Structures are given as structure tokens and as C-alpha cells.
């Protein structure tokens, strides 16, 4: 199924339909849902990383004027399912990580709730905890699979023998930090049981998937899904951390049932988000490359060590992009986990690809340096004909095109390959390149309904817009699929009252929901022709992927880095990305996605790091003053371009997902540029001034 | 957050009398630090007394190039004042390197030097901290020491003072005019902040109830050639890893006089007298600048901790001082 004719709405630079409401402040977010008589929830968190709660003294909290309820493991209701231990809150006295919720307070105002929470006295039987990730731990284990169900290890040929025989080798260890998603809007939920007690549960929740949240909550509370409604028209960012419900949703629902007839509101504080809302594991990546003198790879290996929590496993697929990026007859990828007494890790923008394209892409730059080959040329020489491993043809693979287009736009041909050879004022200047990739994912289930309402068409699907542009792009797809002007199409999303939609994750939204919309339009036209009557409606469901092809998006990112000759301060005045991601539905929202991803990649390169103090087991820089995210002054020129590409195998639109690829490869490009500027290979993120200062010190005194 | 009473008296003298008579009372100026602490539970006052609007909000000329800066002047206004920009560029630059535009609009000259350390353990009431709770212990050593002291610390506390403005004032012979329950007094700005010693809960020598009403800047021709250099982990909106406030008088390639203070390295703005001494009479060269830094840093003690601790601050400060002085002298005078 493709569009009936050449697309008209798709590809147009249409402004965001929800833009005005957001700018004017009239878009209603989960916490703000207008409801009468709301109560407010504040959580009490564990101050030890492992042990048991021995006593919870709630007397002072309960005595406070305005407190409505205090729930503890002994007073909270028993949940129907405690299988997901992250969500099994207040079910027992065990503490599995610092910051875990051990009690909650509901009050007439958020201020009273917060004050009362501070008055709850908790005693513990503490036992020694272990919160330190190291590659030499003896308890590392191989998970059964890595996210989202991929093989843990792969091996082809004999890497060790190929490394021994290789003319040139690179063998280094690279690390990425622990990162927190930190969307602007905190994790927030408003919950209401109506009628009270065993009634119908409505959750206004900031989520990337209303149906996923409904399914999880129905399971946790033992409800038929028909008795739960989840509503979320707007999301103030998620970056994966709202892809699966976290404990805030359970807390709000538990609390609301304990205060019959009243809706309960909960917004996590920024500090709480560092222990309760997921994060990206730190990674330790041992990378090995072997090559002939001409730059042909003969061995490629990545061995990854990372962490998960003791109560729930999440295995980031860091080694996965190395499985398909370049050709090599000998290849090995492994993942090993340490299960620690730490908060539960989860999805963060481009899980796997984001950290997994740091080590290998810096290693490729190091190999180019060893060989005296241009790093772009080295990558082109190792283009695979088919997808390594599977042997499938690529549906489209325009990595080389991205590298060449980017080289022209960036001015790469004038580059002097020597490191530390350029200075502008007090700044050492360098440039670097790295590649990006992200798989084309399609979720197995999503349904859309299209209905004629008066003289308009309405598409309904429980999809999400977390700032990505869904409110604007789905009408473009629907309009072309129906063959009508986009102005005559409305969409309704973000509510489980609409047909089931998959989560906005894995850059799968447009492929999955868009395909459902196209199928619904086809069914609608088949059924009603071009002159439908008011109320006519038809549904369509996403079909299976075309598994004859390997489908991935590609990109190339270029960075200019400046290193201050005295202080070692690192600045990145220029970033340029070129992407090959199929047909672009809307250039305006697409550019936002690419530039946003690249900015987040810059942030990863230079600034972000959650500092987990292993002595306490918590992230000590848990606010925006100390967890540095790239600020406006750090971003100067940043450009995103794309190649004209249409992938007929990916989906009816010919598009590929673009929400995540922008963050992939940026940090490696920056690290490579820093090396070119000052001669220091920074293999451990973030690239802070102390990591280059020693080299500046070693240079001869001027 | 613990509930508190709020009062907004008619004048500063009344505010001082109220706070001075109530050990659980605090002054509220721009609120850019205190409000955070109220939310976090770092402080739990019973009474908050608003003084914004009660303090002089003008920059007054005292003659001969001296200025009196009212404690109610906000940081943005002071940074933009043409006299400050011309006579004391180091102060204007220090102000503009601090916080963000929004915060500078709220922050007051009287409150800024009294902001408290951003030590993450101090700000987290779930971890022991001698500054927040005397005798409870210090959580920093062996933890995240990146933003902590290398000079003048004690076994009880290695926190640093976060203000940029205060570093410039320490270099400028400023004096703080203070109104207290027992009347007025004047404190040399370099003596306002304490080193932690065995009482890290006390940041300054101010007694409870004392309120800064103005900062006096004496005329100093040397300050016309002055600069503030702040080195931090991102381009804006971050506290200093190290910072240097410096003023130089150079004639015929020789340093006649110098004023130097450091930020981000101690519990107080660190006036670098030993560096100044080393610079006087020395040729204006990188070698002199480094020697001056080494003289001041002879007693520096880095703090071990995560990610290699903060030993990098020693070479960083040496290099930053040299770069700042080099820039002040200018290429032609080298």
C-alpha cells in the first residue's frame, strides 16, 4: 500500500498544530487537568541503598492539618501483580535502592504533603550495598537477551586470530556516563477512581504511550483494561523515560483509591526523577579493530559492561550497532551486566545506538590516524554490501552519501589531518566526523479509525506527541492517504478511548501509526468511495514489516571543537549532520528532531554525567545546577540536512523514524574533533577540561 | 518545606531588630538561594523577614572615584553601571559571569556575598554535613570533590564559596557596611568570609541579625586595568571550577602593583596576597605569573574523590592566573 498519488501534504513545512496552545499556555498537561477537590501526593524515599524498613513513624505527619492519608507497606492495598518489582511499591519493607519509595502522604495541598512527608520517621536495618560498576567485577553475567529482545552475544569468524594477524590494530576501552533523561515536564499523574473504590480508573499521565500505561496499570491493579482510561494529549518531553510507566503512576492510583472520591495529583520533583524515572546505564566498552594497511577491516569487536538494578533487569543493547555498521569477516559483540543496588535503568533516547556508537566511532578515528587514511575514506572502504550477520540486502543504505554530502557542506576537503596544528586566538581548533545509525522499527499492533464528520475527516488513534510533531504529521499522512487537502483532516490522539496505538519508542511512531492511518484510509475509500456521508467510518491496522530487507537509517555528523590553550575549556562552535532517513514527512518538525538530538549528543559529549556516589548509592548531582545539560551559550552553529531518500520497503510513506538518530554519533564526532584540536584522545565521557589539561601542561612552555 | 511566618517591616532597622530578637528568623533578599534552601529543608526558619525594598538601591559616588553600592542594587544593574564598568571592570565581569540573566535580576548586592555553598552534600539533607548540621560529619571527602576546595579547608569542611561578585570585591579592598542590633559597623570585605576551621556552619563573621546595607569601594586607579576570568564546565550557568580576579599596574614591562583573588578554590573568596607579593617588581612575563601562582598554591591540598578528585584545579588555577595577567598586560606590553 502506498499513497494513491504523489504526496501533497507529506513533505510540506507545516507549522505545529499544537504550537499556539503550548506557547499560550492553554495546552493542558497531566498535572494541570482541571478537576475539583484534588488532593496532592508526596513520596517518602529511602535514605539507604539496601536493607529493610524496621519502623515507620507517621504520627507527626498524620497529625498535620491538611493531611488526608499516609500509606505505608503495612497500610497500602495489596497489588494484584508484583511481577514488575519497579512498580510493586509499598508491598513490603525491603529497600533495594536509595530513593525507593517507602511511604506516601496525601494532603489538601502539595506544600502540606511535602512537609508531612518530611515528618515521616523511618528506621532501617541497613545491610552493605554495592553500587559500583567496574569491568573487573567477578559477578558480571550475560543477560538472556538485550533490549528489545536481541541476542546478547554474536560471533563470526575468529577475532583473536584476525587481531593477531592484522597489520594495524586499535584496542582501547571507552566509557560513557550515567545519564538521566530529564524532560522538562516531570513525571506527573492525576488519578481518579469514579465511583470511589472499585470503580473506573482514569489516569491523566505524562506518557509516551497511553495504551502501554493502561496495560501495565490494569495488570498491577488486576483490572480489566476496559476499566482503565489513560489520557495524555501533551507531553513535555520524555526521551524514553515515559515510554513505560514508572512508580509515579502506581503511587497516584494507590493514593486515589485511599482517598475515595478525590482525584490525586503527583508530580515528581526534579531530585526524585534521578531515582524514580529511569536512566541510561553507564557503559564500559572494550573495542578492538584490526585492519589491512589499505584500511580494510579484518576484525571488529566490542565487549560491553554495564549495570542494571537488582530488582529489575534492563540490558542496554550497546554492542548492537557494531553488528551492522561496517563489513568485517571476523566480528564479536558481547554484553555483560552487573546487578547493583541502584535505581532501575530504562530507555533513553536511542538506547544501544547512542552509547554504542561512541566507542566504535572513536576507535575508527584512531584507526584512520594509525593508517594515515582520511576517516571518511576509511568508513567508505568498509561499506558492507549486505547487512552483516543477517546477509539481507539493505532496503536503502545511504551512509556514503551522507558522508560525502556532509564533507562538502562542512568543508572537509581542506582539512589538515595533523592534530594540534591549528590555532585561532587562544583556541586550538580541530574537526571530527562520526557516523549515525538507527534501525527502522515497526511495532506489531496499532489501529486507526477514519471517520467523516460533517465536511471533515477525523483520524483517531491513541498515539503520542511528546514534542515530536505527531499532532501535525499524522494529518499530513492521513490527507495524502485519503487524497484530500490537509486542512480538511483532524486527528485525535493521546487517549485510550481511541484505537490502540503502540508506544512512541524506538523511533517507530510514524512507521507504525502512519501505516495504520494509511490502511484505515484505504479501507475507508474502498468502503465509501470519494463521497462519504457524515458518520461513515473505517479502521485499518498496521501490517507486518517486510522482513526480506534490513532496514536502518543512517547519518554522518561533523563537529568543530575548540580547546582553550590555557584552561583546556572545550567549546563546539559548529555541528553539522546529514541524514538519510527516507522521506521526510514535515521538514520543520524533522529539523527539530535532528537538531534536538544533536544538541543532546553535544550535551552527552561535553556536559552530562550523573555522579553516582558508590558510598551512598545515589546520584549526588541531582538537580539542574549540578547535572549540567548543554545551555544556549554552548550551542552555536548547528545544522541538520537530509538526503532525498524514499524507502519503499520501510512503510507506505517511504519514511524512517527520526526521533533518535540525531543523538547517535555526535559525542564521537566531538571527541574526534577534540583530538584533532589538541592531540588528546578523550575516551571517557564527558569531555571535561581536566581530561585535556595534562597534555597542555606537557606542551613546552611558551 | 516547613511552614514559616513572613513579615515585611517598614524599614531596615525594624527588620534587624526583629531578626536580631529571634534566633529562628532569617532575612530574605532576592531569594535566589534561600528559597531553594527552604524547599530542600536545608534551613527551616520559623520567621522569614523580607528586606527587599528596605535597602538602598542606588550606586552613590563618594568622590575621587570611590563608590557606595546599596545592598538593594540588583546584580544586573550593578554590572551595567557605567562607573563600575569603567573604574572596576573586574566587578562588572564577575557579576555577568554569575548565574543567569533572570537570577541576576533578582539577586541583590547585599545577598549575593551571603549565598551559601553549592556543595551537593550540603544541599542534600539525607547526607551528613558539618556545615548544615555541626558535628554530623562531612560526606564529601572520598565522594564528589570536583567542585571543592584546594586552599584553606579543614577536616570538617572542604566546601567552596560560590559567589563570583565576592571574588572581585575581595580583590578591590571593598568594605561591607553592616547594620546590626548593636548598631552599625564596617568590615573589610576580605574579612567578611571565614575559613571553615572547626565551625563550618558559620560562613561569615556576621552575627545573627546583622544585615549588609552597602558595599563601599575605595578609589583605586589600579582597578581600571582589571579583569575576571571564570573557568567552568559549561559556557554559562555553572559555578566556577576556578576563577581569577586580577588588577595590574605595569610600567616599562615591570609589575608595579597587583591585586589578585581566587574563586572556586576555598571556603571564602581567596585574596592571593602571596601571589601579589611575588608579582610586585617582577617582569610582566608568563614566568612571573606562574611563579606568583606557585607562591600562592604552595599550601594547596587537593581533595581525593570520584573521577580523580580535584587535583586538576592546581594546574588549572596556575594557568588561568597566567592567562588572565597576560591578557591584562596585553600583547604589546609583553
Amino acid at each position: 500500500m502506498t499513497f494513491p498519488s504523489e504526496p501533497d501534504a507529506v513533505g510540506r513545512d507545516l507549522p505545529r498544530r499544537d504550537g499556539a496552545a503550548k506557547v499560550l499556555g492553554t495546552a493542558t498537561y497531566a498535572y494541570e487537568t482541571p478537576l475539583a477537590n484534588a488532593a496532592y501526593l508526596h513520596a517518602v524515599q529511602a535514605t539507604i541503598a539496601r536493607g529493610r524498613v524496621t519502623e515507620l513513624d507517621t504520627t507527626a505527619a498524620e497529625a498535620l492539618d491538611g493531611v488526608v492519608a499516609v500509606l505505608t507497606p503495612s497500610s497500602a492495598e495489596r497489588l494484584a501483580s508484583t511481577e514488575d518489582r519497579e512498580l510493586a511499591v509499598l508491598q513490603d519493607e525491603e529497600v533495594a535502592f536509595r530513593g525507593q519509595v517507602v511511604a506516601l502522604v496525601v494532603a489538601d495541598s502539595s506544600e502540606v504533603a511535602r512537609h508531612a512527608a518530611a515528618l515521616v520517621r523511618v528506621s532501617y536495618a541497613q545491610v552493605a550495598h554495592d553500587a559500583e560498576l567496574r569491568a573487573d567485577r567477578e559477578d558480571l553475567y550475560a543477560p538472556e537477551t538485550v533490549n528489545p529482545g536481541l541476542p546478547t552475544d554474536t560471533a563470526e569468524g575468529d577475532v583473536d586470530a584476525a587481531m593477531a594477524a592484522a597489520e594495524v590494530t586499535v584496542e582501547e576501552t571507552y566509557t560513557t556516563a550515567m545519564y538521566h533523561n530529564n524532560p522538562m515536564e516531570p513525571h506527573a499523574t492525576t488519578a481518579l477512581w469514579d465511583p470511589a473504590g472499585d470503580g473506573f480508573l482514569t489516569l491523566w499521565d505524562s506518557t509516551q504511550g497511553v495504551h502501554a500505561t493502561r496495560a501495565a496499570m490494569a495488570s498491577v491493579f488486576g483490572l480489566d483494561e476496559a476499566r482503565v482510561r489513560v489520557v495524555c494529549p501533551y507531553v513535555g518531553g520524555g526521551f524514553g523515560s515515559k515510554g513505560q510507566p514508572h512508580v509515579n503512576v502506581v503511587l497516584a492510583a494507590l493514593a486515589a483509591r485511599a482517598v475515595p472520591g478525590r482525584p490525586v495529583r503527583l508530580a515528581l520533583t526534579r531530585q526524585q526523577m534521578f531515582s524514580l524515572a529511569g536512566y541510561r546505564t553507564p557503559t564500559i566498552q572494550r573495542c578492538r579493530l584490526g585492519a589491512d594497511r589499505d584500511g580494510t577491516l579484518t576484525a571488529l569487536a566490542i565487549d560491553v559492561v554495564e549495570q542494571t538494578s537488582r530488582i529489575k533487569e534492563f540490558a542496554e543493547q550497546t554492542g548492537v550497532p557494531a553488528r551492522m555498521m561496517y563489513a568485517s569477516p571476523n566480528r564479536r559483540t558481547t554484553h555483560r551486566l552487573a546487578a547493583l543496588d541502584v535505581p532501575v535503568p530504562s530507555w533513553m533516547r536511542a538506547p544501544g545506538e547512542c552509547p554504542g556508537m561512541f566507542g566504535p566511532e572513536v576507535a575508527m578515528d584512531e584507526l584512520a590516524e594509525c593508517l594515515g587514511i582520511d576517516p571518511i575514506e576509511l568508513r567508505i572502504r568498509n561499506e558492507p554490501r549486505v547487512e552483516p550477520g543477517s546477509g539481507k540486502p539493505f532496503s536503502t543504505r545511504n551512509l556514503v552519501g551522507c558522508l560525502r554530502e556532509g564533507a562538502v557542506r562542512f568543508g572537509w576537503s581542506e582539512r589538515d589531518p595533523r592534530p594540534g596544528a591549528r590555532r585561532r586566538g587562544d583556541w586550538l581548533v580541530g574537526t571530527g566526523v562520526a557516523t549515525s545509525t538507527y534501525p527502522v522499527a515497526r511495532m506489531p499492533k496499532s489501529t486507526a479509525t477514519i471517520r467523516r464528520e460533517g465536511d471533515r475527516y477525523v483520524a483517531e488513534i491513541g498515539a503520542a506527541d511528546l514534542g515530536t510533531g505527531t499532532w501535525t504529521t499524522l494529518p499530513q499522512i492521513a490527507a495524502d492517504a485519503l487524497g484530500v487537502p490537509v486542512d480538511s483532516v483532524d486527528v485525535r490522539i493521546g487517549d485510550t478511548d481511541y484505537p490502540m496505538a503502540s508506544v512512541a519508542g524506538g523511533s517507530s511512531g510514524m512507521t507504525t501509526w502512519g501505516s495504520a492511518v494509511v490502511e484505515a484510509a484505504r479501507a475507508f475509500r474502498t468502503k465509501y468511495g470519494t463521497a462519504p456521508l457524515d458518520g461513515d467510518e473505517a479502521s485499518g491496522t498496521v501490517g507486518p514489516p517486510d522482513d526480506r530487507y534490513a532496514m536502518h537509517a543512517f547519518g554522518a555528523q561533523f563537529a568543530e571543537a575548540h580547546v582553550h590553550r590555557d584552561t583546556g575549556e572545550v567549546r563546539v562552535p559548529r555541528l553539522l549532520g546529514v541524514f538519510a532517513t527516507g522521506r521526510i514527512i514535515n521538514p520543520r518538525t524533522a529539523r527539530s528532531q535532528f537538531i534536538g538530538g544533536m544538541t543532546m549528543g553535544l550535551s552527552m559529549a561535553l556536559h552530562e554525567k550523573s555522579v553516582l556516589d558508590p558510598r551512598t548509592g545515589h546520584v549526588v548531582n541531582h538537580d539542574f545546577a549540578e547535572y549540567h545539560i548543554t545551555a544556549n551559550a554552548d550551542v552555536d552553529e548547528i545544522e541538520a540536512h537530509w538526503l532525498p531518500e524514499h524507502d519503499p520497503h520501510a512503510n507506505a510513506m517511504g519514511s524512517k523514524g527520526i526521533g533518535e538518530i540525531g543523538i547517535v554519533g555526535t559525542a564521537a564526532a566531538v571527541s574526534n574533533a577534540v583530538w584533532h584540536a589538541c592531540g588528546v584522545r578523550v575516551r571517557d565521557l564527558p569531555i571535561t577540561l581536566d581530561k585535556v589539561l595534562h597534555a597542555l601542561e606537557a606542551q613546552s612552555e611558551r | 518545606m516547613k511552614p514559616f511566618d513572613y513579615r515585611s517591616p517598614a524599614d531596615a532597622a525594624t527588620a534587624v531588630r526583629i531578626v536580631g530578637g529571634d534566633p529562628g528568623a532569617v532575612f530574605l533578599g532576592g531569594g535566589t538561594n534561600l528559597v531553594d534552601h527552604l524547599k530542600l529543608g536545608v534551613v527551616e526558619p520559623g520567621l522569614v523577614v523580607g528586606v527587599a525594598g528596605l535597602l538602598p538601591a542606588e550606586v552613590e559616588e563618594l568622590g575621587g572615584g570611590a563608590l557606595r553600592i546599596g545592598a538593594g542594587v540588583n546584580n544586573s544593574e550593578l554590572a551595567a553601571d557605567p562607573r563600575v564598568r569603567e573604574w572596576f571592570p573586574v566587578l562588572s565581569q564577575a557579576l555577568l559571569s554569575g548565574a543567569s540573566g533572570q537570577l541576576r535580576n533578582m539577586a541583590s548586592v547585599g545577598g549575593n556575598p551571603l549565598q551559601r555553598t553549592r556543595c551537593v552534600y550540603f544541599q542534600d539533607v539525607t547526607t551528613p554535613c558539618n556545615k548544615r548540621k555541626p558535628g554530623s560529619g562531612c560526606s564529601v571527602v572520598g565522594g564528589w570533590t570536583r567542585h571543592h576546595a584546594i586552599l584553606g579547608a579543614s577536616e570538617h569542611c572542604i566546601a567552596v564559596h560560590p559567589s563570583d561578585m565576592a571574588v572581585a570585591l575581595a580583590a578591590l579592598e571593598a568594605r561591607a557596611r553592616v547594620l546590626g542590633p548593636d548598631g552599625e559597623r564596617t568590615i573589610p570585605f576580605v574579612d567578611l568570609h571565614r575559613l571553615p576551621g572547626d565551625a563550618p556552619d558559620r560562613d561569615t563573621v556576621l552575627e545573627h541579625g546583622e544585615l549588609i546595607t552597602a558595599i563601599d569601594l575605595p578609589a583605586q586607579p589600579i582597578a581600571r586595568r582589571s579583569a575576571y576570568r571564570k573557568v567552568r564546565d559549561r559556557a554559562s550557568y555553572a559555578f566556577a571550577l576556578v576563577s581569577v580576579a586580577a588588577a595590574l599596574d605595569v610600567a616599562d614591562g615591570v609589575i608595579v602593583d597587583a591585586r589578585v583573588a581566587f574563586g572556586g578554590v576555598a571556603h571564602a573568596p581567596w585574596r592571593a596576597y602571596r601571589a601579589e607579593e611575588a608579582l610586585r617588581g617582577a617582569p610582566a612575563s608568563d614566568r612571573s605569573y606562574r611563579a606568583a601562582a606557585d607562591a600562592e598554591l604552595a599550601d594547596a591540598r587537593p581533595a581525593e574523590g570520584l573521577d580523580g578528585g580535584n587535583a586538576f584545579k592546581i594546574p588549572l588555577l596556575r594557568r588561568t592566573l597566567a592567562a588572565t595577567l597576560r591578557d591584562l598586560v596585553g600583547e604589546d606590553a609583553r
Side-chain angles (χ1 to χ4, degrees):
Chain A
M1 173 70 201
T2 53
F3 293 131
S5 58
E6 266 304 291
D8 173 57
V10 164
R12 277 169 60 188
D13 179 24
L14 299 179
R16 288 175 189 271
R17 289 189 170 194
D18 51 336
K22 286 181 174 172
V23 170
L24 293 167
T26 57
T28 306
Y29 290 82
Y31 188 80
E32 308 166 326
T33 310
L35 291 166
N37 197 28
Y40 297 80
L41 192 170
H42 200 87
V44 180
Q45 295 175 276
T47 56
I48 63 165
R50 187 168 183 172
R52 287 180 66 77
V53 173
T54 54
E55 193 186 347
L56 270 161
D57 181 355
T58 60
T59 317
E62 283 168 319
L64 206 61
D65 197 26
V67 169
V68 182
V70 179
L71 295 186
T72 68
S74 54
S75 62
E77 66 171 283
R78 295 306 95 182
L79 297 169
S81 169
T82 56
E83 192 181 344
D84 184 335
R85 291 183 64 197
E86 181 187 2
L87 301 181
V89 63
L90 304 183
Q91 299 302 293
D92 60 42
E93 281 75 23
E94 191 192 336
V95 175
F97 62 90
R98 188 168 173 132
Q100 181 185 316
V101 176
V102 296
L104 69 82
V105 176
V106 187
D108 290 334
S109 74
S110 62
E111 291 84 0
V112 170
R114 189 167 183 169
H115 180 209
L119 295 177
V120 174
R121 294 284 160 254
V122 189
S123 306
Y124 303 95
Q126 188 172 358
V127 299
H129 68 265
D130 185 351
E132 188 171 16
L133 178 66
R134 296 188 323 273
D136 62 355
R137 292 179 64 101
E138 289 181 356
D139 60 350
L140 299 176
Y141 73 98
E144 278 187 31
T145 59
V146 295
N147 180 60
L150 299 169
T152 301
D153 297 347
T154 62
E156 294 163 68
D158 186 337
V159 165
D160 292 338
M163 285 293 287
E167 291 175 306
V168 180
T169 61
V170 170
E171 179 168 354
E172 295 289 351
T173 297
Y174 305 83
T175 65
T176 59
M178 180 184 197
Y179 306 106
H180 279 78
N181 311 55
N182 273 321
M184 268 204 293
E185 183 200 16
H187 291 66
T189 310
T190 300
L192 176 66
W193 296 83
D194 184 26
D198 283 340
F200 186 92
L201 172 64
T202 304
L203 295 160
W204 294 266
D205 183 47
S206 182
T207 174
Q208 294 172 222
V210 287
H211 288 92
T213 296
R214 180 174 73 171
M217 289 307 106
S219 163
V220 164
F221 285 93
L223 302 169
D224 189 301
E225 285 194 12
R227 283 180 53 203
V228 183
R229 180 183 175 199
V230 180
V231 183
C232 181
Y234 307 108
V235 187
F239 308 115
S241 70
K242 296 170 182 171
Q244 296 163 317
H246 293 293
V247 74
N248 55 292
V249 192
V250 184
L251 288 171
L254 267 179
R257 189 133 75 171
V259 292
R262 294 185 74 173
V264 168
R265 300 189 198 278
L266 167 62
L268 296 185
T269 65
R270 185 60 60 183
Q271 286 86 354
Q272 288 174 334
M273 288 169 66
F274 281 82
S275 46
L276 298 176
Y279 63 92
R280 194 196 307 280
T281 173
T283 73
I284 303 168
Q285 311 171 16
R286 178 182 173 232
C287 294
R288 289 180 289 164
L289 298 175
D292 295 343
R293 266 280 152 217
D294 71 355
T296 304
L297 285 171
T298 55
L300 191 165
I302 179 168
D303 297 296
V304 179
V305 174
E306 49 198 18
Q307 77 189 34
T308 186
S309 72
R310 201 158 49 80
I311 57 166
K312 182 176 175 180
E313 182 183 279
F314 177 78
E316 178 122 2
Q317 69 272 38
T318 304
V320 164
R323 293 174 183 170
M324 47 62 67
M325 202 61 200
Y326 302 113
S328 174
N330 302 289
R331 187 187 311 265
R332 166 189 152 98
T333 67
T334 69
H335 296 84
R336 296 294 178 268
L337 298 185
L340 303 177
D341 301 307
V342 295
V344 182
S346 183
W347 298 335
M348 180 164 165
R349 202 172 198 170
E353 278 73 18
C354 172
M357 288 291 275
F358 176 67
E361 284 299 293
V362 177
M364 284 295 277
D365 204 65
E366 300 202 46
L367 182 63
E369 175 196 353
C370 294
L371 291 164
I373 296 176
D374 182 84
I376 291 178
E377 180 58 29
L378 176 66
R379 288 170 170 92
I380 292 173
R381 285 184 196 178
N382 289 289
E383 266 288 285
R385 288 174 192 281
V386 294
E387 186 184 52
S390 75
K392 289 180 187 178
F394 289 100
S395 58
T396 46
R397 177 175 168 124
N398 282 309
L399 175 64
V400 173
C402 292
L403 286 163
R404 293 207 161 119
E405 174 80 10
V408 171
R409 288 181 177 274
F410 193 74
W412 188 262
S413 64
E414 295 143 32
R415 183 178 188 260
D416 174 349
R418 294 172 302 153
R422 291 145 303 277
R423 213 173 100 180
R424 203 174 303 157
D426 288 328
W427 297 88
L428 308 171
V429 176
T431 52
V433 66
T435 59
S436 310
T437 188
Y438 200 79
V440 176
R442 170 190 293 243
M443 298 295 183
K445 286 186 192 167
S446 273
T447 298
T449 295
I450 289 181
R451 188 182 313 111
R452 183 73 166 171
E453 293 189 9
D455 60 354
R456 302 187 65 75
Y457 294 90
V458 177
E460 290 180 343
I461 179 168
D465 187 338
L466 51 151
T468 45
T470 312
W471 278 112
T472 313
T473 49
L474 268 189
Q476 293 178 267
I477 293 168
D480 282 353
L482 288 164
V484 300
V486 67
D487 293 348
S488 67
V489 178
D490 297 321
V491 297
R492 295 182 188 134
I493 61 173
D495 193 326
T496 51
D497 277 0
Y498 306 135
M500 186 274 169
S502 56
V503 68
S507 296
S508 67
M510 275 304 108
T511 289
T512 310
W513 313 326
S515 295
V517 166
V518 170
E519 290 299 331
R522 185 186 56 78
F524 185 92
R525 285 291 183 233
T526 303
K527 210 164 162 185
Y528 306 111
T530 54
L533 301 175
D534 187 30
D536 286 349
E537 71 170 54
S539 293
T541 294
V542 62
D546 186 344
D547 58 12
R548 294 169 299 171
Y549 294 94
M551 293 190 264
H552 304 267
F554 293 93
Q557 298 201 30
F558 296 76
E560 179 177 327
H562 292 185
V563 178
H564 196 279
R565 63 168 173 147
D566 292 304
T567 62
E569 291 160 289
V570 180
R571 301 281 185 265
V572 176
R574 195 156 64 109
L575 275 180
L576 186 148
V578 178
F579 301 94
T581 54
R583 185 179 259 152
I584 295 297
I585 307 291
N586 180 327
R588 182 182 307 222
T589 54
R591 182 167 282 110
S592 272
Q593 287 293 294
F594 289 131
I595 286 176
M598 292 167 71
T599 305
M600 208 165 170
L602 174 64
S603 199
M604 170 188 181
L606 299 184
H607 300 127
E608 290 188 44
K609 174 171 180 150
S610 304
V611 180
L612 188 132
D613 188 334
R615 303 168 311 163
T616 60
H618 80 301
V619 172
V620 293
N621 58 336
H622 53 189
D623 60 42
F624 279 179
E626 304 301 339
Y627 181 91
H628 287 172
I629 296 169
T630 289
N632 284 344
D634 298 292
V635 182
D636 197 347
E637 272 183 45
I638 179 162
E639 289 179 36
H641 304 276
W642 46 87
L643 302 181
E645 187 181 87
H646 174 246
D647 191 326
H649 309 295
N651 54 51
M653 294 74 69
S655 65
K656 299 173 179 176
I658 57 172
E660 294 169 90
I661 191 170
I663 197 178
V664 178
T666 323
V670 171
S671 179
N672 295 342
V674 166
W675 168 79
H676 190 231
C678 71
V680 181
R681 284 286 174 197
V682 180
R683 302 186 182 93
D684 303 295
L685 294 176
I687 306 167
T688 47
L689 60 86
D690 47 301
K691 293 172 185 169
V692 298
L693 201 60
H694 62 91
L696 302 176
E697 279 279 277
Q699 284 167 13
S700 59
E701 300 211 344
R702 284 180 301 272
Chain B
M1 170 158 59
K2 189 183 153 203
F4 54 83
D5 292 325
Y6 178 78
R7 289 181 66 182
S8 183
D11 55 59
T14 310
V16 164
R17 200 167 60 244
I18 294 168
V19 173
D22 180 349
V26 295
F27 296 114
L28 175 71
T32 58
N33 193 211
L34 180 67
V35 173
D36 285 349
H37 287 172
L38 292 170
K39 290 187 194 168
L40 294 170
V42 170
V43 292
E44 297 189 321
L47 174 63
V48 172
V49 177
V51 294
L54 307 185
L55 294 164
E58 299 85 35
V59 180
E60 184 186 344
E61 287 190 32
L62 299 179
L67 295 177
R68 173 163 298 165
I69 306 162
V73 174
N74 76 44
N75 283 10
S76 299
E77 292 164 353
L78 185 61
D81 188 293
R83 296 159 297 186
V84 172
R85 289 164 60 103
E86 188 180 343
W87 300 345
F88 307 99
V90 61
L91 177 57
S92 180
Q93 292 170 19
L95 285 160
L96 291 176
S97 75
S100 64
Q102 295 92 330
L103 287 166
R104 291 194 294 270
N105 289 341
M106 290 300 293
S108 64
V109 165
N112 180 295
L114 303 180
Q115 64 179 302
R116 310 206 67 192
T117 185
R118 295 319 197 275
C119 172
V120 294
Y121 303 92
F122 168 73
Q123 295 186 130
D124 184 340
V125 297
T126 70
T127 58
C129 170
N130 288 323
K131 180 179 283 297
R132 182 169 21 82
K133 192 174 176 190
S136 62
C138 174
S139 299
V140 188
V141 177
W144 194 41
T145 59
R146 182 175 183 81
H147 295 277
H148 287 76
I150 55 172
L151 289 167
S154 76
E155 62 182 304
H156 304 289
C157 182
I158 62 169
V160 299
H161 194 262
S163 166
D164 294 297
M165 181 184 83
V167 182
L169 292 176
L172 289 175
E173 312 286 346
R175 301 176 74 81
R177 295 171 64 83
V178 173
L179 179 64
D182 300 326
E184 285 190 274
R185 64 170 174 147
T186 302
I187 304 170
F189 196 84
V190 288
D191 297 332
L192 177 65
H193 296 90
R194 296 178 66 258
L195 292 180
D198 59 5
D201 54 312
R202 293 196 61 195
D203 292 352
T204 69
V205 300
L206 294 181
E207 300 296 334
H208 182 74
E210 284 193 313
L211 182 65
I212 295 175
T213 56
I215 302 282
D216 284 355
L217 280 177
Q220 291 159 90
I222 190 175
R224 287 174 178 251
R225 188 188 289 210
S226 66
Y228 188 73
R229 178 74 162 95
K230 178 177 181 178
V231 181
R232 45 185 154 175
D233 273 334
R234 64 182 163 189
S236 74
Y237 199 52
F239 292 97
L241 293 167
V242 305
S243 69
V244 170
L248 271 188
D249 180 4
V250 180
D252 301 327
V254 174
I255 298 166
V256 178
D257 199 4
R259 302 269 186 281
V260 179
F262 298 151
V265 292
H267 193 261
W270 188 269
R271 179 71 179 265
Y273 291 112
R274 284 198 263 184
E276 292 176 7
E277 181 63 33
L279 287 168
R280 275 186 209 105
S285 69
D286 265 22
R287 183 184 297 270
S288 302
Y289 309 149
R290 292 208 176 100
D294 288 339
E296 195 66 49
L297 289 165
D299 297 333
R301 295 285 174 272
E304 289 179 12
L306 301 173
D307 302 333
N310 67 2
F312 72 91
K313 284 189 174 186
I314 293 175
L316 179 62
L317 184 54
R318 186 193 305 120
R319 299 174 70 87
T320 304
L321 176 65
T324 309
L325 296 177
R326 192 195 310 134
D327 288 349
L328 272 180
V329 169
E331 295 292 328
D332 52 5
R334 204 182 286 186

